[in-house]
Amino acid sequence: MTQPFRLARGGLVDRSQSLEFTFDGAAYQGYRGDTLASALLANGVRLLGRSFKYHRPRGLYSAGVEEMNALVRIGSGARAEPNTRATQVELYAGLEAGSQNRWPSLRFDLMAVNSLLAPLFPAGFYYKTFMWPARWWRGYERIIRKAAGLGVAPALPDPDRYEKKHAHCDVLVVGAGPAGLAAALAACRKGLRVILVDERAQAGGSLLFDARKIDGQACALWAEGVIRELQGSPRARVLTRCTAFGYYDHNTVALAERMAPAAPVRQRLWHVRAARVVLAAGAIERPLVFGNNDLPGVMLASAVRAYCNQYGVAAGRKIVVFTNNDHAYETAFDLAAAGVAVAAVVDPRAEVRPDLGRRLAELNIALHAGSTVRAATGRRRVSVAHIAHAGGASSAVPCDVLAVSGGWAPSVHLHSQSGGKVVYDESIAAFIPGAAKQNAVSVGAGAGQFSLAQSLRAGYAAGAGESPGVAGTPVCEAEAPFSIAPLWVVPSTPGGKAKRFVDIQDDVTVEDVALAARENFRSVEHLKRYTTLGMGTDQGKTSNINGLAIMADLRGDPIPAVGTTTFRPPYTPVALGLFVGRETGKRFAPTRLTPMHAWHVEQRAVLATAGLWLRPKLYPRAGESYGESWQRECRHVRRRAGMVDVSTLGKIDIQGPDAREFVDRVYANNQASLAVGRARYGLLLREDGLVMDDGTLARLSENHYFMTTTTAQAGAVMSHLEFLLATAWPELKVRATSVSDHFAQIALAGPDSRSILQALLPHEDLGDEALPYMGVRRGSLDGVALNIFRVSYSGERAYELSIAAGYGLSLWRKLLVAGASCELAPYGTEAMGALRIEKGHVAGPELDGRTSAADLGMGKLASKKRAFIGRRLLERPALQDADRPGLVGLVPAGPDTAISAGSVLTEKAVPGHETLGWVSSATFSPSLNRHIALGFVASGPARIGQRLLAWSPLQGREVPVEIVAPVFFDPQGERLHG
Amino acid sequence: MAEPSLAYAPAIDVEPGIVHPTPDDSPGPLRLREKRHDCVQLAGFGAGRDLAAWLEETVGACAAPGAAVPVLNQEALLLATGPATWLLVAEPGRLAGFPPGPKDGLHAIAALTDFSDGRSVAFELRGPAAAQVLAMHLGLDLDEAGFAPGRCAATGIHAMQVVVARREPDVFLVLVQRSFAASLWEILLDSALSYGAVVDPAAS
């Protein structure tokens, strides 16, 4: 017979839809509506995992998020998801699950030997054990790391799709139990925008199997009606399978929504900003702490009841209920009603509510009041409950399930994460939410309101934003108040060796807590770290309160004095993929493309990233090597002409009556004298006097300037200018606007550049008088504005053409046609870099945030008379030191060999020997047919003629170099005009 | 043969058609297209009060912060995108020579910058999925009651600066810098997987 523990009737599962699944390779059957846990339970599978430290056999303990034992791996390969709570996995056809943390098998786990060695592994043993000899630590660490953890994360990339979404609402309700449904209903009826979230697949919580009535309807039907009403409202959204896992500032709550297995999206991360948050997160039942309370078959009473009522599964054949409160009696009643044998109810309270006792008697269930279960025994599962009766007698009751309840812990996690405090309520022996820090209110069992009527009343009022009792509040019959007698730990049998677990997932026992107290780790935070209490994947949902209560007793303090540990997000584990979303691979960051990108791709240019930009490095021709390609491009620029896409340069439009004053203040070199129609090199300093960036400034009209920056610093310079205008000089009538994307920019360089440009613009006077070096022309082509700047980065006669980006590609093509007779060819950044090194022009490697104008050989550019940004701190003695590293050229002193950029300059290639400088840029110079480099060396140009070593310890290279002037090619600059 | 004239190239060069089929449970696909237009930025000096007055007088209205109002006889849209800063957006050619007449008065109070090819690559998102797709990237409250037609916001999508304007309940205009346009286009289409996506012919 399949599913031997499935009850003949009952439950909310769809028995017409049978689903096949596997666990550790064995095939089973369940029904639609089952969780993996309920289906395994229905099939009689009791052993589901091994404990973290001692590898003790463990079975299902709960039916919800608090599950600490039944952590399984779902799926395989790249889709394998470790540490998944079986209680939260909806069953689907073909589900493949496996156990974890065991070897070679779950039934026979060799690591269970740890259990025998338990005396050697008390709390904090590894803090004491692996201290010496220190050099062995690496070995210890490897073994500890191998032994640690539960599941194993797949090493393959996650193939699933995760999405993110933002949502706003007037009221966010967390939890769709009685209080949450009432709150959402009230908010919806007030016309508010409401979002209701629940971590389970079906909203309703305990109402789904509550036999009472609300507003005259069966609870489940009432819940169904509320959901229908919400779903019918355009202003309400109901999210099931959705866990509110983090509560942040500004009433922002993060939700993790799990999609159905076949959905194209696996999970969705919601950022919800709510005007008001209603926390109706319910409560988690606490285990009782007694001997062998971790044996498979020991389960929370509420879970046993849920499996019976919600899934139609009997947790066992003969069940003993052990409880210190009234709630668990309902478990006994429901089991009996379902035909499951209840052997006894054990209650440490001498007095039990008479009506409960009467009902037990009617059902022929033995009640052992004033008694406790001292221990459970059995091989791999419970077979006997050992009861200590009032008066000292004891008995052994055979059973296969021990349903325990130590009371309820309201889920105060989100309240606490939001900044709210928690307070201890003696009447229910639990911490409940205190005053909220944000606009939030806790209701229902999550606020310690354990009666249905209380939950509905508080929930409805919270949803409506009004006082309790507001019109429309759902009503139900009254019930007896919740009663509990705290029982934090059951004394062990004298001489008994059965372990009493406080934190079942982390194998933390009562004795471990006592040891921590003896060793003075008495603060609850110390207790946590020292013993690992509450540090598992369940974050101590079932163990924290028991642990701190035991510590309180050991300290002789009241429980509130001990307090709780800090609740931090996430409430339950969240897949990392959810935070990453779609931002993986090429989507990790946006890519910026120039207007001519399509042409570069068409020509099979080798593309490289430069920040977010994608730029052509070179345009290889058939049969060319990488080096041959860019060197050919370089030579062609020097010999004829080349064109390069420089659209990535930062471009800033500066306008206003005070524009002249503004540019003169921001540049270190004088710009006030720049005439209309002219451009000038510009050096920008930071406030600390070091160089920020360089570029050109063109004066387009009296009050209109066009600034260019390097590609890398475009954003930083723009921010710098905006900051200055907003804070330092708000009185200036100037606006700076980034137009980097508005213009496509092409540099046309080489001896033939003028004739090519003339071919493109036959009606323009491009003679040296009309457009001299550093001249600016505002012209047009086919009616489209075209700016021409006669500036040069290569050292050749050159022009930079600037046109609206939408026409960039067309201009590029037209220019190629115009230059065909001169064999005009494109060149990439590799050639551009070599050309600028040949000319000693500084770029990013030299403008690295550590260099001053003087270091770069441009000290004289900085004005001595006027104020500008960086002026004051430029005068610091350290920046005036003549020994500061200054820019120099470097050539190999011996045979021509490559100099590695990044090498240090030193007299001896010995670690620790004085470093005199560094190599910033290096290349092979096609024009000089030798290797050259730029670098910085102490005292700079004063060392010209000296020899040093360019030493790269990383590459193991050592090249003797001679210090030379930094301009290698055409030092007189004659080619600019030629 | 005469040289061909300069030709304008849109930022996105794709064939119209279905990119993602529309699932049964979708409210309808995202319809996406590039929409060419002219765009100028008007950035006032100081607090921009003089420019605000100039806009009232010259274009017929001055959009309050976060507003996108039709101006110039409904032929243009004026978007308030930042402190003392407005974008004027119109069909291609409609802003040629703007503002008419001498510009000295304007230049004394504001900077006028042509943005037609820069920030203002415009994508039009249309259909019931438009707001859903944008909500995957924007922290804005896109509820019609708050971000109604006629509202705009300068914000960001995946580290890209964008200006989002709602034209109609199901029609949004997203302006982005041209160099980022391909990335934004790809992200928007990718985000529409659950809704379906259709690329419409580019519009001008």
Side-chain angles (χ1 to χ4, degrees):
Chain A
M1 177 189 167
T2 59
Q3 305 189 50
F5 285 83
R6 184 75 69 179
L7 295 166
R9 59 188 164 279
L12 305 173
V13 292
D14 182 353
R15 293 172 190 249
S16 69
Q17 291 197 58
S18 187
L19 304 171
E20 306 279 342
F21 70 101
T22 63
F23 177 67
D24 274 350
Y28 299 101
Q29 234 178 36
Y31 295 127
R32 186 162 302 284
D34 263 327
T35 61
L36 174 61
S38 67
L40 286 169
L41 201 62
N43 283 278
V45 181
R46 295 291 181 269
L47 181 61
L48 296 180
R50 288 280 173 169
S51 72
F52 175 65
K53 188 161 134 188
Y54 301 127
H55 287 249
R56 287 167 67 103
R58 292 284 166 78
L60 201 58
Y61 213 96
S62 75
V65 293
E66 67 272 34
E67 178 58 33
M68 68 294 263
N69 287 338
L71 302 181
V72 296
R73 184 198 70 248
I74 301 294
S76 57
R79 286 200 159 84
E81 185 175 3
N83 293 348
T84 307
R85 295 170 299 283
T87 51
Q88 291 218 294
V89 178
E90 283 175 61
L91 197 67
Y92 56 87
L95 185 149
E96 188 187 328
S99 58
Q100 313 180 136
N101 196 37
R102 81 288 185 276
W103 188 82
S105 72
L106 186 56
R107 259 190 99 67
F108 180 69
D109 179 10
L110 280 176
M111 291 299 283
V113 69
N114 283 2
S115 200
L116 301 175
L117 301 174
L120 300 176
F121 300 149
F125 77 97
Y126 41 89
Y127 297 132
K128 303 165 183 167
T129 310
F130 302 108
M131 304 296 287
W132 69 92
R135 66 178 181 280
W136 285 16
W137 171 248
R138 283 171 185 259
Y140 296 143
E141 189 187 26
R142 201 163 37 244
I143 295 164
I144 291 170
R145 283 187 180 279
K146 202 170 171 59
L150 293 168
V152 178
L156 299 166
D158 189 339
D160 284 320
R161 182 183 174 97
Y162 302 84
E163 288 184 351
K164 299 179 184 177
K165 204 151 190 182
H166 297 266
H168 298 251
C169 62
D170 299 310
V171 183
L172 169 68
V173 182
V174 178
L181 284 174
L185 181 66
C188 183
R189 285 179 176 170
K190 285 200 87 172
L192 301 173
R193 279 193 295 165
V194 57
I195 297 176
L196 172 66
V197 300
D198 194 280
E199 64 197 359
R200 285 155 293 199
Q202 192 176 357
S206 61
L207 297 177
L208 295 177
F209 47 84
D210 194 318
R212 289 170 289 179
K213 290 190 170 181
I214 300 173
D215 288 345
Q217 279 182 295
C219 284
L221 284 178
W222 180 83
E224 213 174 283
V226 172
I227 294 298
R228 239 190 343 265
E229 187 170 336
L230 294 171
Q231 286 174 335
S233 165
R235 298 180 68 72
R237 191 196 308 256
V238 179
L239 297 171
T240 52
R241 301 185 181 95
C242 188
T243 304
F245 68 83
Y247 195 143
Y248 307 92
D249 288 346
H250 309 291
N251 256 13
T252 300
V253 179
L255 316 176
E257 184 186 11
R258 305 179 302 280
M259 305 304 185
V265 178
R266 180 170 173 238
Q267 291 188 21
R268 181 173 290 136
L269 174 65
W270 290 82
H271 298 267
V272 179
R273 290 163 181 85
R276 183 152 41 93
V277 176
V278 178
L279 296 171
I284 292 171
E285 197 167 32
R286 289 192 299 251
L288 284 164
V289 181
F290 56 92
N292 291 333
N293 60 336
D294 66 325
L295 265 181
V298 178
M299 297 174 70
L300 293 173
S302 60
V304 173
R305 187 180 179 209
Y307 287 117
C308 174
N309 293 339
Q310 196 170 345
Y311 302 101
V313 175
R317 302 281 186 225
K318 196 171 187 185
I319 295 174
V320 168
V321 177
F322 177 24
T323 178
N324 64 346
N325 64 84
D326 296 347
H327 264 178
Y329 283 76
E330 299 297 332
T331 301
F333 302 147
D334 288 357
L335 287 171
V340 181
V342 180
V345 172
V346 181
D347 193 328
R349 296 175 295 177
E351 298 289 328
V352 173
R353 225 170 67 205
D355 62 306
L356 299 176
R358 268 197 306 277
R359 284 184 70 187
L360 287 180
E362 286 164 15
L363 295 166
N364 286 325
I365 299 172
L367 170 63
H368 302 295
S371 306
T372 56
V373 173
R374 286 289 170 100
T377 53
R379 181 174 163 72
R380 289 212 186 99
R381 64 167 304 166
V382 173
S383 58
V384 177
H386 298 273
I387 302 172
H389 297 282
S394 62
S395 63
V397 179
C399 62
D400 59 355
V401 165
L402 194 45
V404 301
S405 176
W408 292 82
S411 289
V412 296
H413 303 68
L414 294 175
H415 165 81
S416 183
Q417 287 173 22
S418 76
K421 299 290 181 197
V422 294
V423 293
Y424 189 70
D425 184 340
E426 294 277 358
S427 70
I428 58 170
F431 283 93
I432 60 170
K437 192 177 177 188
Q438 303 192 44
N439 192 6
V441 56
S442 295
V443 294
Q449 298 154 349
F450 293 147
S451 86
L452 179 59
Q454 268 183 314
S455 292
L456 293 171
R457 188 177 156 87
Y460 200 82
E466 297 190 24
S467 303
V470 61
T473 301
V475 291
C476 67
E477 60 193 272
E479 62 197 280
F482 177 73
S483 167
I484 182 172
L487 176 64
W488 304 116
V489 60
V490 177
S492 59
T493 314
K497 292 183 178 175
K499 288 187 182 303
R500 294 171 298 168
F501 287 93
V502 183
D503 182 334
I504 293 175
Q505 187 177 61
D506 280 342
D507 277 344
V508 178
T509 63
V510 175
E511 288 68 31
D512 291 327
V513 177
L515 179 65
R518 285 200 303 278
E519 297 191 351
N520 210 26
F521 292 100
R522 291 170 164 237
S523 149
V524 70
E525 297 289 357
H526 290 160
L527 169 67
K528 175 177 176 176
R529 273 78 189 178
Y530 193 63
T531 64
T532 70
L533 176 81
M535 290 178 70
T537 60
D538 66 344
Q539 287 287 286
K541 287 187 177 60
T542 54
S543 61
N544 281 346
I545 308 300
N546 284 340
L548 68 90
I550 293 168
M551 177 58 84
D553 186 50
L554 291 166
R555 282 171 40 172
D557 287 327
I559 288 173
V562 175
T564 65
T565 49
T566 307
F567 295 89
R568 295 191 182 89
Y571 173 62
T572 50
V574 178
L576 289 175
L578 196 66
F579 299 110
V580 176
R582 299 289 292 153
E583 293 157 25
T584 59
K586 69 172 185 173
R587 290 195 194 88
F588 180 70
T591 302
R592 302 183 74 176
L593 304 178
T594 74
M596 286 75 90
H597 178 75
W599 191 90
H600 303 321
V601 172
E602 192 181 297
Q603 296 300 311
R604 299 185 180 176
V606 175
L607 299 168
T609 53
L612 295 178
W613 288 99
L614 210 49
R615 301 187 71 180
K617 280 183 95 172
L618 52 129
Y619 302 83
R621 290 179 179 171
E624 274 184 343
S625 69
Y626 186 93
E628 287 167 348
S629 181
W630 69 261
Q631 287 170 32
R632 184 250 311 146
E633 290 172 7
C634 237
R635 289 190 192 95
H636 195 69
V637 172
R638 297 270 185 242
R639 188 172 62 84
R640 302 295 304 265
M643 56 193 272
V644 60
D645 181 355
V646 289
S647 304
T648 60
L649 291 176
K651 305 170 209 75
I652 299 172
D653 184 81
I654 299 169
Q655 293 184 47
D658 295 326
R660 177 172 169 270
E661 174 66 21
F662 177 62
V663 297
D664 205 39
R665 290 185 192 180
V666 297
Y667 279 109
N669 54 320
N670 184 315
Q671 298 291 2
S673 59
L674 181 64
V676 172
R678 300 286 294 172
R680 182 174 289 172
Y681 177 78
L683 192 65
L684 286 165
L685 305 188
R686 302 187 311 216
E687 292 278 8
D688 64 4
L690 296 175
V691 175
M692 179 183 196
D693 196 33
D694 71 347
T696 58
L697 180 72
R699 192 168 188 178
L700 302 179
S701 67
E702 186 65 20
N703 296 328
H704 192 179
Y705 290 82
F706 183 81
M707 173 192 277
T708 64
T709 73
T710 60
T711 300
Q713 294 295 322
V717 171
M718 185 64 213
S719 296
H720 177 63
L721 300 185
E722 286 186 327
F723 177 78
L724 291 171
L725 284 173
T727 59
W729 309 314
E731 76 284 359
L732 290 186
K733 289 185 172 180
V734 183
R735 289 295 294 259
T737 303
S738 170
V739 288
S740 298
D741 278 57
H742 179 69
F743 291 108
Q745 196 129 326
I746 303 166
L748 174 65
D752 291 342
S753 58
R754 188 170 93 182
S755 56
I756 294 168
L757 192 58
Q758 195 70 75
L760 180 77
L761 305 165
H763 306 300
E764 293 280 351
D765 180 357
L766 300 174
D768 284 348
E769 281 192 17
L771 185 60
Y773 177 60
M774 298 307 272
V776 178
R777 172 72 55 82
R778 303 184 76 182
S780 68
L781 179 62
D782 297 339
V784 180
L786 175 70
N787 291 334
I788 306 166
F789 305 90
R790 192 172 158 195
V791 295
S792 176
Y793 191 53
S794 59
E796 299 296 321
R797 172 187 282 273
Y799 303 85
E800 283 190 11
L801 311 180
S802 175
I803 196 165
Y807 297 97
L809 180 59
S810 188
L811 175 63
W812 180 272
R813 291 184 193 278
K814 279 181 82 90
L815 200 54
L816 277 171
V817 172
S821 60
C822 298
E823 299 171 29
L824 175 63
Y827 63 100
T829 53
E830 198 75 60
M832 188 172 74
L835 291 166
R836 73 98 187 164
I837 295 172
E838 288 179 344
K839 286 296 295 176
H841 289 161
V842 293
E846 287 74 40
L847 308 178
D848 64 356
R850 295 181 296 174
T851 49
S852 70
D855 299 340
L856 297 166
M858 294 189 274
K860 288 181 182 168
L861 274 182
S863 172
K864 300 285 185 292
K865 295 176 184 168
R866 54 184 190 87
F868 56 86
I869 294 294
R871 163 85 191 270
R872 182 65 66 193
L873 292 179
L874 187 59
E875 292 168 1
R876 282 180 292 168
L879 293 190
Q880 302 299 319
D881 185 352
D883 290 338
R884 278 181 64 82
L887 183 71
V888 293
L890 301 162
V891 293
D896 188 45
T897 182
I899 304 167
S900 295
S903 298
V904 293
L905 295 171
T906 182
E907 287 168 337
K908 276 188 184 172
V910 176
H913 194 79
E914 186 186 12
T915 297
L916 297 169
W918 66 93
V919 179
S920 54
S921 304
T923 187
F924 174 77
S925 166
S927 311
L928 304 170
N929 201 29
R930 67 180 304 188
H931 287 91
I932 58 172
L934 295 174
F936 293 85
V937 66
S939 306
R943 284 182 182 266
I944 286 177
Q946 292 184 11
R947 291 187 172 198
L948 291 171
L949 289 173
W951 179 40
S952 171
L954 291 177
Q955 298 175 337
R957 299 192 71 232
E958 178 182 325
V959 180
V961 292
E962 183 182 342
I963 299 172
V964 298
V967 183
F968 298 93
F969 184 77
D970 184 26
Q972 302 306 317
E974 289 162 353
R975 296 176 69 91
L976 286 170
H977 310 283
Chain B
M1 196 172 84
E3 282 280 319
S5 297
L6 277 178
Y8 178 85
I12 305 298
D13 183 18
V14 293
E15 290 294 321
I18 295 171
V19 178
H20 302 305
T22 306
D24 293 339
D25 59 352
S26 167
L30 171 75
R31 305 198 76 94
L32 186 63
R33 63 176 174 170
E34 183 178 352
K35 201 166 184 297
R36 189 183 171 194
H37 59 232
D38 282 357
C39 176
V40 293
Q41 178 184 276
L42 293 136
F45 304 136
R49 278 188 280 275
D50 292 341
L51 176 59
W54 183 90
L55 285 167
E56 290 274 8
E57 189 180 325
T58 312
V59 304
C62 174
V69 298
V71 293
L72 295 175
N73 300 320
Q74 310 285 318
E75 289 193 342
L77 194 65
L78 185 68
L79 303 96
T81 57
T85 308
W86 288 266
L87 281 183
L88 190 59
V89 178
E91 297 291 314
R94 295 288 166 87
L95 296 180
F98 176 84
K103 297 178 177 55
D104 289 354
L106 176 62
H107 288 160
I109 60 171
L112 175 72
T113 310
D114 183 7
F115 255 5
S116 301
D117 284 68
R119 175 173 295 215
S120 62
V121 167
F123 295 149
E124 185 185 78
L125 289 79
R126 186 177 281 272
Q132 301 294 328
V133 168
L134 287 175
M136 294 166 80
H137 302 283
L138 293 174
L140 287 174
D141 184 357
L142 294 171
D143 186 76
E144 268 190 72
F147 198 73
R151 303 292 300 169
C152 73
T155 177
I157 293 179
H158 191 32
M160 293 177 272
Q161 291 178 6
V162 295
V163 175
V164 180
R166 191 172 211 157
R167 305 301 309 274
E168 298 170 31
D170 282 347
V171 180
F172 293 84
L173 201 62
V174 179
L175 307 181
V176 65
Q177 289 167 287
R178 187 182 175 103
S179 62
F180 287 108
S183 279
L184 180 62
W185 179 269
E186 197 272 335
I187 283 172
L188 291 173
L189 285 178
D190 176 72
S191 303
L193 178 72
S194 304
Y195 304 98
V198 178
V199 171
D200 286 331
S204 61

